[in-house]
Structures are given as C-alpha cells and as structure tokens.
Amino acid sequence: MKLSSFLRPFVVHAIPARRVSQLALPVILGSLSFTLLSAVDTIMLGRLGEAPLGASGIAGVFYFALAFAFGSLAVGVQVLTARRFGEGQHAKCGEVLRTGLALSAAIGLPLAIAAPWIARVVSPLLSGDPFVARLGADYLEYRLYGTAFSFFGWVFASFFAGIGETRYQLHSSILVTVVNVVLDYGLIFGRLGMPRMEVAGAALASTVAVAAGAAYYFAISLTQRIRLAYAPYHGKTPLGAWIRPIIKLSAPVMAQRVMSHGSWFAFFFVASRIGTVELAATNVIRSVYSLTIMLAIGMGTAAQSLVGQSLGARRPDDAEAYAWEATRLAAYAMGAIGLLFIFAPSALLRLYTAEPSVIAAGRGPLFWLGFVQMFAGAALVLSQSLQGAGNTRFVFWTEFCVCAFLYLPTVFVLGLRTPLGISGAWVGEYVYWGALSLVMALKFRAGTWKTIRV
C-alpha cells in the first residue's frame, strides 16, 4: 500500500474544511464563552473553600442532567430546520422555531415554579455531608428558576444553526458571559452594592445571565430580515403540526442525555462518597474538561447542520464529506488540547483552586484524560452527524449500552471497591470515549443514515 493511500483518510481537505470552520468557529467561541458560566462559578467559589466548590459541582451536574434532557427539544428543532432550509422551505423553518419555543415554555415554566420543591427533594442525594447538601440545594434552586430561559436560548441557537447563521450564538454567549462575570463577583462576594449570597449568588448570576441571552435571541428574531424570510411568529400552520416531528426526533436525544448526564451525576455521587477533596477535584476537572469539549461540540453542531442541509438538497455525498471533515478537525484540535492535560495538569488545576489537596487529587486523572481527547472529539462529531441525519435512536441506544455496561460498572467498581479511589473512577471516562468513538465510526461509515426521511 502506498503511503499516500494510507494517509488519505487523515488528510484535511480545504473546501469542506473551510465551510465547516465557518459554521463551527462562532459556535465554538460561543460555546466556550457559555461554558465559562460554570467555569467562572468554579473559579470564584473555589476561593471560598472545598465545601462550596463541591456543592456547586454536584448540584450543577444534576441541574444540567435535568435541563439538558428537556432541552433536547432543540436538537429536533435544528434537524428539522436544517432539512427544511436545504429544501428551500424557509417559512417552515420559522414554524419549527415557533413550535420549539412553545414547547420550551410548556416545560420550562413548571420546572421554575417547582424549583424549591425539587431542590429539597434532591438535597439528600447531593452529598453525605449535610453542609455540602444544603449548599447544593441552594445552588440548584436558583439555577432552576432560569430553566425556561435556558430552553429558549437553546431553541433559538438551534434554529439559527439550522439556517447556517451561527454568529448569533457567539454574540449571545458573549453577552451571557459578561453579565455572569459581573453578577458572580457581586453576588458571591457581596461587592458592587449587591448582597453576599456565596453559592446561591453564583446560581442566581447564571440564571440572570441566561435570561439576558434569551432576550438577545428574541430581539434578533424580530428584525425585519428574519421576519420576512422565516415569519417565525406569523405562520399559517398550527403549532400542533410540528410537535410530533420535533418530539419524535428529540425523544431519543432526551433519553440519551438523561443517560449521559445521569451517568455524570452517578460519577459525582461516587466522588462524594470517596471524600470532599475528591469531589472538589472532580468538579474542577469537569470544568476544565467541559471547556475543551466545546471544540468538538462546535464542530459537531456545524456537521449536524451541514448534514441536514445537504440531505435536504439531495446531496448525500456532500453530507458525508462534511461530517468526516468535521471529525478530523475535531480530533486534531482535541488532540492538541490533550497535550496540555499531559504536560501541564497542575498548572491547569491551579487556575481554579489554590488548595494543594485538590490539586494533588486531580493531577493524575487530568493527565490520563489527555490521551483520550482525540477519541472524544471523533465520537462527539459523529454522534451529532448521525443526529443531523435523523438517526437519533441509534445514538441513544449506543449511549445507553456504553454507559450501562461499560462506563458505570468501571466507575463504581474501580472507584469504590479498589484502592485506586478517584483515579480508578476516572478510568471509566477512558473506556467510554474509546468504545463510543469506535461504534459511531463504524455506523457512520455504513451509510444507512443517508436515506432517513424527517
């Protein structure tokens, strides 16, 4: 075999790579900015000690497990919007957006109303330490008040991604981050004339910031260009016409996210049973990890839209080319970030906390995570590409099997039944990404997704 033939699958191609990058870059920057919501909380709360840091971490995981599950409606919105956009049916894109917003309100507002009750019920599950559990309940309650705003923001972002205008996600995320940083500083530490709320203040800051982002999207949707092209609030088709297609595509994604984020919550549960220091270290690692994964999610969002648009325009070969190009770009970018984990784990951890015990507990797991970053990038992009084609069920069942039969057993056994402790629990993450990337690559290469109709 010639060397050129061997290297061909690994070579980046200029034209599709440019198109992927044009869509992905605003999403990546916007996602990185949005992820700073949690990162800023972690950094500032880390100055208050181990208990606030651990409490916000495990409560944040539960919040995102719940919010991301119901927020999966946005995936159905993006898939349908991209497909209709590729078909040239722009008015139907607006109808999909309107339905997605209505569903978001129907789910998000009851969750906000029930926030105090949910926080009280979940509190004992957050930690065996009553003080940490109480702080976690405070954080969870204030985050839940903004659930509807989160849903609105995700639906708007998915609509704009579906029509290929991802720059608005960047603008919204910058706004959200700036508002969050200012309010975090004021509400956590009692500065700028604001009350000192500590953990609850961090959550309230995030809620207000997300509301500001949703308001920005709404303002953009009211501009003349968007109203004339997509008529998002004046369509003739009843809302009920799009509810079933959105739910049909989104339900498997919802189940997948319940499994995925539920597994993350289980991981934090294991960490909390190992010790408060280990829980705090896990929260810091998760925050670092979440920032880097945004690179792959941005590429995946671009691939998801381009796959949907290409299939709508009846160009399945273009859809495949875009997906593989995004996979290569994500794998290489994540691999480069992984080198930071390998060569500077302690330096990265010190950005979040000055506690020597937390840094010592997190150094080993973060180091080994560097070696699986390329697999994480490939798995995420290929998963989103399959979702963009409408094959959301396969992605769910793969996630379910990998988590239930590989990831969770590894985390519980090595974390709680061996002397490895928190380092053993993190081995589950290496197993997870290796298995997920292999299965997704084989499925996407089979090509059966090209004939799915949505």
Side-chain angles (χ1 to χ4, degrees), residues 4 63 153 204 208 251-252 309 329:
S4 59
Y63 168 77
L204 179 57
V208 175
Q309 291 177 5
L329 292 172

Side-chain angles (χ1 to χ4, degrees), residues 11-353:
V11 174
V12 173
H13 302 91
I15 295 177
R18 187 180 302 114
R19 179 58 178 150
V20 169
S21 299
Q22 287 172 345
L23 281 181
L25 186 58
V27 177
I28 292 170
L29 294 175
S31 298
L32 286 171
S33 179
F34 192 81
T35 304
L36 286 174
L37 278 172
S38 297
V40 169
D41 288 352
T42 302
I43 291 170
M44 292 194 182
L45 289 174
R47 301 303 184 258
L48 300 180
E50 296 170 357
L53 186 60
S56 65
I58 193 166
V61 169
F62 181 87
Y63 168 77
F64 282 112
L66 182 66
F68 278 0
F70 289 111
S72 301
L73 292 170
V75 175
V77 170
Q78 182 171 343
V79 172
L80 290 168
T81 299
R83 190 68 71 95
R84 299 293 88 80
F85 184 84
E87 295 169 351
Q89 302 185 64
H90 292 183
K92 290 188 176 181
C93 295
E95 294 171 0
V96 172
L97 170 61
R98 188 168 67 256
T99 306
L101 293 174
L103 288 171
S104 296
I107 299 171
L109 294 178
L111 285 174
I113 294 170
W117 178 81
I118 295 173
R120 285 196 301 271
V121 171
V122 173
S123 176
L125 303 175
L126 298 177
S127 175
D129 184 331
F131 180 58
V132 173
R134 181 177 64 79
L135 292 178
D138 291 341
Y139 185 90
L140 180 60
E141 179 179 344
Y142 280 95
R143 284 308 306 266
L144 285 171
Y145 287 137
T147 306
F149 297 120
S150 294
F151 293 169
F152 294 150
W154 292 332
V155 166
F156 274 123
S158 295
F159 166 77
F160 285 117
I163 63 175
E165 298 193 27
T166 55
R167 65 185 183 277
Y168 296 122
Q169 182 171 341
L170 173 59
H171 301 162
S172 173
S173 297
I174 291 174
L175 173 63
V176 168
T177 302
V178 171
V179 172
N180 183 65
V181 169
V182 173
L183 293 181
D184 259 347
Y185 179 70
L187 292 172
I188 292 176
F189 303 113
R191 306 290 174 82
L192 305 177
M194 302 179 194
R196 182 184 175 95
M197 298 176 66
E198 298 190 353
V199 171
L204 179 57
S206 296
T207 291
V208 175
V210 168
Y216 167 79
Y217 277 128
F218 181 66
I220 295 299
S221 72
L222 293 176
T223 59
Q224 185 177 23
R225 184 177 64 85
I226 298 297
R227 286 189 293 107
L228 291 178
Y230 303 100
Y233 308 113
H234 303 288
K236 298 179 180 179
T237 304
L239 289 178
W242 289 105
I243 290 178
R244 183 176 179 183
I246 290 176
I247 293 178
K248 182 179 179 180
L249 286 168
S250 301
V253 181
M254 183 181 299
Q256 174 203 345
R257 289 184 176 179
V258 168
M259 189 67 195
S260 178
H261 291 280
S263 296
W264 256 117
F265 184 73
F267 189 104
F268 269 72
F269 175 84
V270 169
S272 71
R273 292 306 182 264
I274 295 173
T276 301
V277 170
E278 289 77 9
L279 175 60
T282 294
N283 186 26
V284 172
I285 294 171
R286 179 188 67 87
S287 188
V288 175
Y289 200 19
S290 297
L291 282 172
T292 64
I293 279 179
M294 290 302 106
L295 288 168
I297 291 178
M299 294 293 180
T301 299
Q304 194 174 62
S305 293
L306 291 169
V307 166
Q309 291 177 5
S310 298
L311 291 178
R314 298 185 180 181
R315 297 195 303 268
D317 291 341
D318 287 353
E320 184 172 13
Y322 283 129
W324 283 121
E325 205 62 46
T327 301
R328 282 188 285 268
L329 292 172
Y332 297 154
M334 292 284 285
I337 294 296
L339 294 177
L340 289 177
F341 291 8
I342 295 169
F343 292 109
S346 297
L348 290 173
L349 294 170
R350 287 193 189 96
L351 295 174
Y352 291 81
T353 180

